[in-house]
């Protein structure tokens, strides 16, 4: 079934001119000024939240997206971040063929997430990146990858809504850190989600009662 979907999408892509590499790709507004996605770019993340955040821009712009090698992605939470589930292709267990499946989806989709089951050789990564740049898509790696364009991490989560061990979780703050190469890291504190509207946005200066969670 997955192969059939990929073939159909590939036919659509082959009928259109691909996006030139290095052109801007729609990025979630909460990341504006912190990270700009580029066609042909590779980005590593360390959490499901960042997976959804990076897919939200391309998905909201009408691109088909794919996720390879993960059974831990919460679809409800991913949809809340702005990902259109009707345009999301899931291959949760590609077994030893994960690299081949990822390459096939890179040919057909606008953005692909892969969670490698093991370390990736630089030569294999280089071949996939060359393919990615030719097609002009975006690759998000949930884990390690040789020489990505940027590494994103999520840290220091705290929740709003807990008081003295009771209450309902209403919102969460966390720090998104973006590091490119050996340059200094850039950071932004975000609501993921905000307690009032469940949206994603930068934390304002006015404090909200929070409780740390380990």
């Amino acid at each position: 079934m997955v192969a059939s979907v990929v073939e159909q999408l590939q036919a659509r892509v082959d009928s259109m001119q691909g996006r030139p590499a290095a052109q801007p790709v729609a990025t979630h507004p909460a990341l504006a000024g912190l990270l700009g996605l580029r066609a042909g770019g590779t980005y590593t993340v360390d959490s499901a939240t960042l997976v959804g955040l990076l897919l939200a821009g391309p998905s909201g712009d009408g691109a088909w997206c794919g996720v390879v090698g993960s059974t831990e992605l919460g679809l409800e939470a991913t949809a809340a971040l702005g990902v259109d589930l009707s345009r999301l292709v899931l291959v949760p267990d590609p077994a030893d063929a994960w690299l081949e499946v990822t390459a096939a989806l890179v040919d057909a989709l606008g953005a692909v997430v892969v969670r490698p089951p093991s370390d990736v050789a630089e030569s294999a990564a280089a071949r996939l990146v060359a393919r990615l740049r030719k097609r002009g898509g975006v690759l998000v790696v949930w884990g390690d990858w040789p020489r990505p364009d940027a590494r994103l991490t999520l840290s220091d989560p705290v929740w709003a809504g807990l008081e003295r061990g009771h209450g309902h979780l209403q919102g969460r703050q966390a720090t998104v850190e973006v590091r490119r190469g050996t340059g200094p890291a850039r950071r932004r504190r975000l609501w993921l989600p905000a307690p009032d509207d469940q949206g994603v946005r930068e934390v304002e200066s006015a404090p909200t009662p929070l409780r740390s969670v380990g």
Side-chain angles (χ1 to χ4, degrees):
M1 182 176 178
V2 171
S4 176
V5 171
V6 171
E7 288 172 3
Q8 292 175 28
L9 294 172
Q10 182 65 68
R12 293 188 188 183
V13 172
D14 288 343
S15 68
M16 300 181 291
Q17 182 177 3
R19 185 197 299 269
Q23 292 299 306
V25 173
T27 310
H28 196 291
L31 298 177
L34 183 68
L35 174 74
L37 298 179
R38 294 274 174 176
T42 303
Y43 308 88
T44 66
V45 300
D46 67 351
S47 70
T49 297
L50 290 175
V51 165
L53 200 59
L54 292 196
L55 287 184
S59 178
D61 199 38
W64 279 80
C65 302
V67 179
V68 180
S70 174
T71 59
E72 300 175 19
L73 191 66
L75 294 183
E76 184 176 349
T78 301
L81 289 169
V83 179
D84 181 357
L85 299 185
S86 69
R87 301 174 71 83
L88 184 65
V89 177
L90 300 175
V91 189
D93 186 14
D96 293 337
W98 69 269
L99 193 57
E100 291 81 359
V101 171
T102 302
L105 292 183
V106 159
D107 281 348
L109 308 182
V112 177
V113 176
V114 61
R115 192 168 195 182
S118 58
D119 291 341
V120 183
E122 288 208 23
S123 57
R127 288 194 297 271
L128 183 58
V129 169
R131 197 164 178 167
L132 176 76
R133 289 174 177 167
K134 181 179 179 180
R135 286 297 184 181
V138 170
L139 180 66
V140 178
V141 181
W142 188 352
D144 292 327
W145 192 261
R147 289 182 283 190
D149 291 281
R151 302 179 188 274
L152 286 79
T153 56
L154 198 69
S155 61
D156 303 323
V158 291
W159 288 87
L162 289 178
E163 295 294 338
R164 297 184 180 277
H166 65 276
H168 298 286
L169 297 176
Q170 299 172 348
R172 178 180 63 154
Q173 290 185 14
T175 298
V176 176
E177 178 179 290
V178 178
R179 187 179 296 274
R180 292 182 178 275
T182 59
R186 304 180 69 182
R187 300 176 180 86
R188 179 171 296 170
R189 193 75 174 165
L190 297 180
W191 280 112
L192 293 162
D196 49 359
D197 60 4
Q198 297 299 292
V200 178
R201 63 174 181 269
E202 189 170 2
V203 174
E204 300 173 355
S205 57
T208 299
L210 302 171
R211 287 289 184 272
S212 297
V213 291

